[in-house]
Amino acid sequence: MAGMRAVVCEGAGGVEVLTIGEIEDPTPAVDEVVINVVAAGVNRADLLQRQGHYPPPPGAPGTIGLEVSGTIAAVGAEVEGWSVGDECCALLAGGGYAEKVVVPAPQVMPVPEGVDLVSAAALPEVVATVWSNVFMTAHLKEGETLLVHGGSSGIGTMAIQLGVAHGARVLCTVGSKDKMDFCHRLGAEVAINYKEAEWASVVNEATGKQGADVILDIMGAKYLQDNVKTLAYDGRLVVIGMQGGTKAELDLGRLMSRRGSITGTGLRVRSVAEKGQILAEVVGHVWPLVAAKKVRPVIQRTYPLEAVAQAHEALEQSNHIGKILLTI
């Protein structure tokens, strides 16, 4: 069996477990394609998987990587609309840190107009996350207020841009002056340095004590109480991360008085059909905004596959703005 280069974890732990090894070439099932990978996105879920805290779902490749860009290398017998050589980007359940990856066809998207093939790897995970949560789940509407935690992250920079493009007023929290300035340039009306200000008070002041209609939260437990305090009437809090812990007290009285709702979601464990539905909406609703230059991928830096340890370290240090990519 022919082999390909891939990042292999020798056990679980720090970046020292990341090595470049050789694994078997993937072969597509009838409803799958194989992609020759050009670039892969680096996500916080990848760090958790490396540490042994986030195993891949059943049937997914054991190697790390949740999004790629590249060209179609092989097409399953029942796949329509894709041919060998087509440029694409894809959302994965795993396996992206490799020269090739096999993907269910519904999880593959064309590269949007005006985006180069490497940069396209920065899009699938963040766009699918933001679109599915802010728009499909929380139903952000024109004229509403969106609060984005982690505004300078890959997800945050995309959420700010999509919120602005849909006529929302966008506020965000970040950790430095440079990140505040960048988020302002992306269109955020208010950017709050959580290290220097009590962000919940600033949100309430900026909204005339009305609060945020939609909150996209990566912190989880640490921000739960303040998130509920800053919800507008009929506000929707969507929790997509647990960087600030998993357990916290919830003031149900406050939540009920605001007629608020809290949703916790994950993308990786969704079915192929669900992911396909999300990505079809992304292609229909977001790709035209990219082509019109109203939305763009924000990329901090690319690293070669051999420098995967440095890429993980850069993400862990949280000094970046936007996405970190690996080039294969």
Side-chain angles (χ1 to χ4, degrees):
M1 180 70 73
M4 63 172 181
R5 287 188 313 138
V7 173
V8 179
C9 287
E10 296 182 340
V15 295
E16 70 279 354
V17 306
L18 297 168
T19 62
I20 306 296
E22 188 170 292
I23 62 175
E24 289 185 356
D25 274 349
T27 55
V30 294
D31 57 351
E32 295 177 328
V33 301
V34 174
I35 297 173
N36 282 325
V37 177
V38 169
V42 180
N43 293 284
R44 289 205 173 270
D46 303 346
L47 310 185
L48 293 173
Q49 183 171 335
R50 185 201 76 218
Q51 293 160 1
H53 302 315
Y54 193 29
T63 44
I64 298 175
L66 297 177
E67 59 187 338
V68 297
S69 60
T71 58
I72 301 291
V75 179
E78 296 178 5
V79 173
E80 298 179 354
W82 291 105
S83 302
V84 172
D86 287 348
E87 293 189 346
C88 63
C89 56
L91 183 70
L92 316 174
Y97 292 11
E99 290 180 320
K100 296 179 181 179
V101 67
V102 64
V103 196
Q107 294 173 209
V108 184
M109 299 179 288
V111 174
E113 180 185 335
V115 176
D116 66 87
L117 191 54
V118 169
S119 298
L123 289 170
E125 182 76 16
V126 297
V127 179
T129 297
V130 173
W131 186 260
S132 63
N133 287 293
V134 174
F135 296 93
M136 295 175 73
T137 297
H139 304 289
L140 180 71
K141 302 176 187 68
E142 183 179 357
E144 289 191 322
T145 297
L146 169 66
L147 171 61
V148 179
H149 290 302
S152 60
S153 66
I155 287 171
T157 53
M158 182 55 62
I160 291 169
Q161 293 181 86
L162 284 176
V164 171
H166 284 83
R169 182 191 188 202
V170 181
L171 291 68
C172 67
T173 61
V174 293
S176 72
K177 176 69 164 58
D178 287 345
K179 291 178 178 180
M180 290 173 67
D181 293 342
F182 190 89
C183 290
H184 281 307
R185 291 197 295 273
L186 283 182
E189 184 177 326
V190 179
I192 308 156
N193 185 345
Y194 64 84
K195 295 178 181 177
E196 296 182 352
E198 190 179 75
W199 65 261
S201 299
V202 178
V203 170
N204 280 325
E205 181 180 346
T207 60
K209 298 186 178 178
Q210 296 299 304
D213 299 289
V214 176
I215 301 176
L216 186 65
D217 178 48
I218 58 171
M219 294 302 294
K222 184 177 180 180
Y223 278 11
L224 180 62
Q225 292 188 27
D226 281 341
N227 277 331
V228 172
K229 285 180 184 177
T230 52
L231 273 182
Y233 283 107
D234 297 312
R236 292 87 74 195
L237 166 61
V238 187
V239 181
I240 61 169
M242 299 175 290
Q243 293 180 37
T246 61
K247 295 182 180 180
E249 283 194 7
L250 172 62
D251 185 344
L252 285 172
R254 174 72 181 187
L255 185 69
M256 293 169 70
S257 72
R258 306 299 281 187
R259 299 189 301 270
S261 64
I262 302 174
T263 307
T265 74
L267 186 60
R268 188 181 193 180
V269 296
R270 294 186 189 224
S271 68
V272 172
E274 289 176 305
K275 291 175 182 175
Q277 180 187 359
I278 292 167
L279 297 184
E281 289 205 17
V282 163
V283 172
H285 295 287
V286 180
W287 273 198
L289 295 173
V290 178
K293 300 192 176 348
K294 293 181 179 179
V295 172
R296 64 182 175 90
V298 177
I299 299 165
Q300 172 75 36
R301 185 175 167 184
T302 61
Y303 292 82
L305 188 67
E306 293 74 16
V308 61
Q310 291 97 301
H312 272 224
E313 286 174 338
L315 190 62
E316 286 176 327
Q317 289 163 4
S318 291
N319 294 322
H320 61 289
I321 294 174
K323 294 285 291 189
I324 292 171
L325 303 179
L326 295 173
T327 52
I328 313 301

